[in-house]
Amino acid sequence: MTEPGRPSGRAADALRRVDIVTGFARHAEGSALIRMGGTEVLCAASVEGRVPGFLRNSGQGWVTAEYGMLPRATHTRGDREAARGKQSGRTQEIQRLIGRSLRAVVDRAALGEMTITLDCDVLNADGGTRCAAITGAYVALALAIKKLRAANVLKGDPLIGQVAAVSCGIAVGVPVLDLDYAEDSGAEADANFVLTASGGIVEIQATAERATFDEAAFGVLLGLARIGTAALFAAQQAAIDAA
Amino acid sequence: MTEPGRPSGRAADALRRVDIVTGFARHAEGSALIRMGGTEVLCAASVEGRVPGFLRNSGQGWVTAEYGMLPRATHTRGDREAARGKQSGRTQEIQRLIGRSLRAVVDRAALGEMTITLDCDVLNADGGTRCAAITGAYVALALAIKKLRAANVLKGDPLIGQVAAVSCGIAVGVPVLDLDYAEDSGAEADANFVLTASGGIVEIQATAERATFDEAAFGVLLGLARIGTAALFAAQQAAIDAA
Amino acid sequence: MTEPGRPSGRAADALRRVDIVTGFARHAEGSALIRMGGTEVLCAASVEGRVPGFLRNSGQGWVTAEYGMLPRATHTRGDREAARGKQSGRTQEIQRLIGRSLRAVVDRAALGEMTITLDCDVLNADGGTRCAAITGAYVALALAIKKLRAANVLKGDPLIGQVAAVSCGIAVGVPVLDLDYAEDSGAEADANFVLTASGGIVEIQATAERATFDEAAFGVLLGLARIGTAALFAAQQAAIDAA
Amino acid sequence: MTEPGRPSGRAADALRRVDIVTGFARHAEGSALIRMGGTEVLCAASVEGRVPGFLRNSGQGWVTAEYGMLPRATHTRGDREAARGKQSGRTQEIQRLIGRSLRAVVDRAALGEMTITLDCDVLNADGGTRCAAITGAYVALALAIKKLRAANVLKGDPLIGQVAAVSCGIAVGVPVLDLDYAEDSGAEADANFVLTASGGIVEIQATAERATFDEAAFGVLLGLARIGTAALFAAQQAAIDAA
Amino acid sequence: MTEPGRPSGRAADALRRVDIVTGFARHAEGSALIRMGGTEVLCAASVEGRVPGFLRNSGQGWVTAEYGMLPRATHTRGDREAARGKQSGRTQEIQRLIGRSLRAVVDRAALGEMTITLDCDVLNADGGTRCAAITGAYVALALAIKKLRAANVLKGDPLIGQVAAVSCGIAVGVPVLDLDYAEDSGAEADANFVLTASGGIVEIQATAERATFDEAAFGVLLGLARIGTAALFAAQQAAIDAA
Amino acid sequence: MTEPGRPSGRAADALRRVDIVTGFARHAEGSALIRMGGTEVLCAASVEGRVPGFLRNSGQGWVTAEYGMLPRATHTRGDREAARGKQSGRTQEIQRLIGRSLRAVVDRAALGEMTITLDCDVLNADGGTRCAAITGAYVALALAIKKLRAANVLKGDPLIGQVAAVSCGIAVGVPVLDLDYAEDSGAEADANFVLTASGGIVEIQATAERATFDEAAFGVLLGLARIGTAALFAAQQAAIDAA
C-alpha cells in the first residue's frame, strides 16, 4: 500500500522518523523530547503532593497537561500567549485532550493524592504536534511513575495501560498516516486517534476540512492509526527501558 | 432494539422530544430556540457586511459561532464567564466545533464577503448542549440566508448541505442515543457526531470516559447517530418551512 | 392624560403589556421570565449556603445580582462580554443597582448566612431592561424564599417588602411612563425609579440627556412611576400566587 | 436650621470648608485641586485633537472622565486597580457620572472634533469624592477651554452652563448637606445631586441605604442641594477668575 | 565644576531644589510628598499585620512598593493603567526597584510579621521619578516605623540604614547630576544609583542610551551620585525630625 | 586567582562550560541554543517587514525581545505565564533588558523599516538565564542579519558591535564570575554586566541582596565581567563562523 504522490515521498502507511530522548528537562521527575520528522515537543512530568480542590480527601490523584508552542516554532512567528495574556482556544483544546488521554491509562486511586502535570512545549512544529505531545507525555509520565516507585513513594503501579496518538487524513483523495504540515494544510479530512497498546480506543477527533467523508473512509483511517501506533508503542517502550 | 434500563425509560435508539421554535430572538436575521428534552438552546444568526482580516479581499465569507451558558442553566449555579473575565476551555472548544460544523455546509464564495455569527446560548441544560446548538444553529443560519436571498442581497444559495448533531454513548455497557445529563455523567464513553443529510461525516469526537471501547462498539454508536440525525433533519426542515 | 404623539400610541401614563412566566429556568430555586413589551429578561434565583468573606460569622445573609445581555438581544449584535474578557461599566452599574434594590426588601438577619444570587439575562431588548430585571428578580427571589420556607430551611420570612422598578422620561417635551427603545433613544431626560409597595423610595436615577429639567418636571415623573409600579406590584403578586 | 447632633458639629445645611487650587497639575491644559473638608481630589483636563470612532467626521467633540483613588487615600489601604488589572464597578460608575455631568454643560458642536479628558484622582478621601470630582472637574474644564480660546484654537465658547455636585443624606433621621465619611457610612439614605447654576437638574442618584424615604424627605434633600451648590458655584467662579 | 550648557543652568554637580512635605496622605501611617524640581511624588506607607504566604510563620516582615503615575503627570496624557487593565513593564520594574531598595535598610526579623507597603504615586513628572520615589519612600517608611515604635507595637528598631537615590547621566558628553526630563530624553547614558548614608551601594542601574561608556566615565557618575545623595540624606533627616 | 570554596569547584574567574548550537529553531531566520553549564536558552530571531507605530515612516528599524521560561525549567515547577494570563514583572524586566542590549549594537537606520524579534526561551535554568539569553540572542541576530545580507535584502551592515553579558557576584565574601543557581541564591550581591567587544559598557544592573558593597568591590566585579565576556565573544564568533 504505497502512494507515490505524498510530498514527503513516504508510503501512505509510513510514519515519519521517530526519536525519543529522555531526561532533556533536567529538573523534571520524567521528561521526553520527542521528534516526529520536523516536529519536536519537549514533554516534562512534574509531581506535586496535592490535588485540585474537587479531589481533596478523595484518595484519588490527578493527571493534567499544559501545552504551549514557542513563538517561532512555526514558519512565521506567532504571538507569545503569555504576552497576549491568554491561551488560544486551540491551545486549551489540545491540553485538555492530552490530559484526558493520559488519565485513560492511570488508576487514580493507586496514584493517591498527588498531581502529575505534563508540560508539552513545541520547540519545532511540522504538523501533528498534539499527537506527538501525547506520545511523548506518556513516556515522561511513565518515567516519573518509575521514579516514584523506585523511591517507594508509590507502592502499587498506577499505570494501567500504554497510550499513543497519531494523525491520519485524506489527502488528494488518499488516506494517509502521520501528516506533516504541508500535507495537513491541504488535506480534505484530518483525524487524530488516541489508542492503547491493548487495542482500546481512547479518543477520536475526526474533522472534514474540505469534503465530508463516509464510514468506509473512516474505517481506513482507523486502520492506518493502528499501524502507526504499533510503531509508536515500540518506540515509547524502548525509550523507557533505556532511560 | 430497546433497553429497559435507561433512566429516562427511552429505547436505546430513541431521541428525546425535539421542538424548534423560530423567531424567538426578534432582532436576529434568523433564530431558533431548540429544545431536546430538558435542554434548551437559543440560536441567533447575525449578518454583518464585513469579514475577518484574513479574508479581506478574498471574495469569501465567514461563518462563526459563539457559545455560552446562563449561570443557572445547570443544577448548581456556575460562574458567569463575563464576570470571571474569560471563556473556559470547554466553551471555546464547543464554539469552535459549532463554527466548523456549519462551515462544512456553506459555500463561502457564494456567501461573498459577509460574516454570519451564530450565537448559541444555553437557557436550560440537561446534556447534549453542543449537539443541540449545532442542530439549532443550522436552522438559524438557513433562515438568515433565506432572508438575505429574499432581499436579493444574495443571488445564489451558499447553503450546500444540511447538518445536525447528536451525542451517543455507552451507558451500563449498552450503546444508546441522545444521552441526557443523568445518563451522560455516568457513561463509559461519549461520542458526538456531526453528520449531513446526504450521508457525509463532518466531525466525530469520541472519548472513553471510564473504559476504552473498540471498533465494533464505535460502529454501533455511529449507526445510532445516523438514526438520530435522520429525525433531526426532518425537524429542522419542518421548522424552516413553517417560518 | 393622553399624548397622541408617543411612537407606540400609548397614553403618557400607560405601561407596556406585562407578562411574568415563572419556572422558566428549571433548575433555579425561583425564576421569572418577564416581558414588558418587546423587552424580555430571564431572572433566576440561586441559593447557596455561604456568604462572602465580609459577612462570615455575622449571622447575616447576602443578596446580589448579575446582569447580562445576549449578544443579539439588540438591533445590531453587540460583543459577547465573556469573549471580550470583561463586563462593561454599564453592565456593572446595572447589576449593582439590581442587588441594592432587592436588598432593600430583605431582612438579612432573618435570611441567615446564605447567599441568594439573582441572574438577570436579557433575551430581547427594547428599552427598560434594568427596570424589568428588578421587577422580575423580585418574583424570582420571592419564589426562592417561598421554597426555602416550605422546606423549613427558613423559619421566619426575610422578605420585608415588595419592590418594582419602572423608567419614566421626558420625550418631545412630555413626561411619559415606561419608554421603549425608540422613545428612550430620543428622550430629553430619563429616570429610573425603584419603589416599594408600601410607598417607599428605594432608588432614583435621573439623568438629563439633552436638556436639564426642573423640580416640577421631576415631580411629574415620580408621579408616573407611582402609577406604573402599582400595576407592576399587582402583576408580580399574581405571578407569585399562581406559581 | 441646625442639627446639634452632626459628628462634625456643622449645621444641617452647612458645607464643609471648600478650597480650589488651580494649576496643580503643571502639564495639564487646566487643573484644579479641590478640597472639601478632608476630601481632596486632583482634577486635570487634557485636550487631544481627535475624537472616539463613533464621532469621527461628525463635527462634534467629546468630553469624558476617568476616576481613580490612590490606594492609601482611605482609612485602610485599598487595592491598586492597576495592579488588580481592572477598575471596580464603583470606579466605572463614578467616571461615567462625571463624564455625563460635564457633557451637560458643553456644546459639543462648538467644541469641534476634540476630546477633553478629565482625570479625577482622589488623593485623600473623607466622603463625597464623586461630588468633589465633578465640582473640581468643571473648573479644570473651564480653564482648559479658556486656554484654547485665548490661543484662538476655539472661536466660540463651548461652555454653555456651570455645573457642580453635592451629596445630601438622611442621618439619624435628619436631612443633612455634604456628608463626610463618618456621617455617610451610617446614613439611612444618600443622594448625589448634579445641578446647574441656572437651576437645571442634570443628574440625581438617590439610594435608600437602611430605610426607604418618601417624596417629602426627598424634597428636603433637593432643597439642601440647591443651598450647597450655590456656594460651590461661587467658589468655582472665584477660582477660575483668579487663575 | 560647572557646565554652562545644562538646559536648567545648573552646575554639573547641582541637584534640583528638594522639598519634602510630611503628612500629606492623612490616613497613612507615614507619608511624604517629595518635590525635586518639577517632579512631585506622593509616598505613603501602609502597615498591615500580616505577611505574604512565603513568609508566614517565618518571624520575618516584608517591605514592598507600588508605583503609579497619574495620567496627566506628563507632558502629554498617558493611558491610565487601571483602565488598560495592566501595569506596564516599566511600572513593574520601578516598583520592584523601590521595594528592593528599602528592604536593604530594614532588618526584617526586627520588623516581625508585618507588611509595610510604600505607595509611590507621581503627581507631576519632570525626570527622575523613580529616584524621587525611593528618596521619599524612605521618609514615609521611617515615619511609619517611628509611629509603630511610639505606640510600642515595635520594641526594637528595624531601620538599620538610610537610603536615597539619584540619577546621573552623560549629556552632551558631560557627566551631570539629577537630570530633568529635557536633559534625560537626550542623554547618551543614564544611571540610577541607590546608596546608603554609611557609604554602601544598594543598587546601580546604568544604561547606554545612545553611546556606550567606559569605566572612567562610570566612576565620575558614581562620584556625582555620592554628592547628590549626601544632600538628600540631609533633607530626609530634616523632614523626619520636623514631622 | 582561585577560590576553593565555590560549590562548583570553579576558580573565581572561571566561566561555566559554554556551548552554542546554531539552527536549532528550524524556521527562524537565525537561532542559537546556548548552554552555560546547566542553563540552556533557545534564542530565535524572527524578521518582519514592518515596524511598531512609533517608527512608521521614520526609515528606522526595531529590535526587540521576548523572554519566557518553560514551567519545568526550574527545580520546582512554576506557573505557565500564558495560563496565568500575564507575564511577571521579572519576565518583563528581563525582556526589556535583552532588547535594549541588542539595540546598542544595531544601526537602526541601516536596518531600515524592519523588526527583528528575539525570542529567548529558557529550556533549563541553573542561574544566569538573562545573561545567557543576551549572549545567545546576539548570535541569533547576527545570523539573521547575515541571511538578510546574503539575500540582498540588506545592502549595508546594521550590526555595529558585538555584545555579550555575564553575571558576577559576591559569594561568601568573595567576588566570583558566572554564578550558578546554588551560588546565586546565597550571594550577598549580584550584578549583571552587558559589555561590548570594543570595550563599551552597555548596561550594568547591580543589586545588594544581603549586604551593601562599595566602589572597590564593584570594580572587581566589573573586572571579572571583562574576563568572562572576552571568552563569550570568542564563543559567539566561533558559532557564527561555523553556521
Side-chain angles (χ1 to χ4, degrees), chain D residues 131-193:
Chain D
C131 290
I134 291 168
T135 304
Y138 171 79
V139 175
L141 174 67
L143 291 175
I145 286 174
K146 200 169 162 180
K147 188 170 183 180
L148 291 171
R149 296 189 70 197
N152 259 322
V153 176
L154 285 176
K155 308 293 173 205
D157 190 353
L159 209 53
I160 55 175
Q162 185 178 354
V163 71
V166 76
S167 79
C168 301
I170 304 175
V172 204
V174 180
V176 290
L177 175 66
D178 189 24
L179 291 71
D180 58 24
Y181 178 78
E183 209 164 20
D184 184 52
S185 59
E188 292 99 67
D190 176 33
N192 296 298
F193 295 92

Side-chain angles (χ1 to χ4, degrees), chain A residues 61-78:
Chain A
W62 189 239
V63 174
T64 186
E66 289 190 5
Y67 171 93
M69 202 182 260
L70 297 195
R72 196 54 196 281
T74 45
H75 283 82
T76 55
R77 186 175 184 273

